[in-house]
Amino acid sequence: MRWAVEDSWTVTRRYLTHLGRQPEQIVMLAAFPILLVLMFGYLLGGGMTVPGGGDYLEFLMPGMFAMTMGFGMAATMIAVLDDASKGVTDRFRSLPMAPSAVLVGRSLADMVSAVIALAAVVGSGFAVGWRPHGGLGATLGAFGLLLLLRFSLLWVGIYLGLKVRTPSSVTLVQTLEFPFGFLSGVFVATSTMPAWLGAIADWNPLSSTAAAARELFGNPGWGGDSWITGHGVLMAAVWPLVIVAVFFPLSVRAYRRLGA
């Protein structure tokens, strides 16, 4: 066990060292959500209404936090694919180290970058006037659920990064991130969508995390009378656990079968 922990930490430090030399990765991860905050908050926000009333920027920001966590999936995929294409992963596999260390190290390093990116977007939220109104425990709980979503999706990114072979596949995944982000309750209430589309958006894991964050931060929510909309906090915990339960073993299996 100690051997596996030490190997994982060594791999984590390697990834963090690379991250420190390439800060543009974190800048890119945080810049797009901040750009969307400015566009939706100031260019389009005047025409937006929040069901039940409330300030649109306070409605928008928890959704943007969730979207930042969701859009990190492609970054993980690119990093894993890059290591595989350069032979780094094969080199790790040839060394006398714990097999789990590469995947655990990758996940820990990505969580560090996720915390930095989330902090940058939260800072932009404070700059435009967003404030949490819940207690300290609820606020910390909201941030915990946001990071839990990122933790679950990074395993999707690791699995896809181990399975794909070409950069064009990464472009496809990055393209699919947009409907994943926009077909949700991040920007507008799903009740304003056509019924069938709103139902799909309600069951998007991003919608559950955004709804839970709004509730725990004490920001305006998007309501809804379906079961899924009434259990945002519960589903914000359940969805990531389900995703990890599916993609963690798939990632381990894909890693063991590399080169087979």
Side-chain angles (χ1 to χ4, degrees), residues 47-251:
M48 300 288 191
T49 58
V50 180
D55 181 74
Y56 179 68
L57 270 174
E58 292 220 325
F59 170 88
L60 176 65
M61 287 312 304
M64 295 311 306
F65 301 155
M67 194 168 195
T68 303
M69 299 296 94
F71 273 29
M73 181 171 59
T76 298
M77 181 181 172
I78 293 170
V80 173
L81 177 62
D82 189 52
D83 276 353
S85 63
K86 293 179 178 176
V88 175
T89 306
D90 289 337
R91 178 61 176 162
F92 280 143
R93 284 160 53 86
S94 69
L95 295 175
M97 60 189 297
S100 61
V102 176
L103 299 184
V104 173
R106 175 80 265 164
S107 63
L108 292 177
D110 279 10
M111 287 306 296
V112 172
S113 67
V115 169
I116 296 173
L118 180 59
V121 182
V122 170
S124 73
F126 275 104
V128 298
W130 170 81
R131 298 290 184 275
H133 303 292
L136 178 61
T139 299
L140 293 177
F143 285 123
L145 289 175
L146 289 164
L147 292 173
L148 182 61
L149 176 68
R150 177 71 180 97
F151 179 75
S152 68
L153 293 179
L154 74 82
W155 285 106
V156 181
I158 288 175
Y159 173 69
L160 294 177
L162 291 171
K163 297 298 290 185
V164 302
R165 293 289 181 270
T166 62
S168 60
S169 303
V170 176
T171 304
L172 175 61
V173 171
Q174 288 176 315
T175 302
L176 293 177
E177 278 187 335
F178 287 92
F180 174 65
F182 283 88
L183 185 53
S184 69
V186 167
F187 298 101
V188 297
T190 57
S191 58
T192 63
M193 304 176 186
W196 64 273
L197 197 61
I200 295 174
D202 284 341
W203 285 89
N204 183 333
L206 214 55
S207 295
S208 295
T209 299
R214 287 174 182 132
E215 180 179 339
L216 294 173
F217 284 139
N219 296 140
W222 43 272
D225 53 6
S226 65
W227 184 90
I228 188 78
T229 57
H231 296 80
V233 175
L234 172 65
M235 292 309 297
V238 169
W239 273 126
L241 295 179
V242 171
I243 294 171
V244 171
V246 173
F247 283 94
F248 176 76
L250 286 176
S251 299

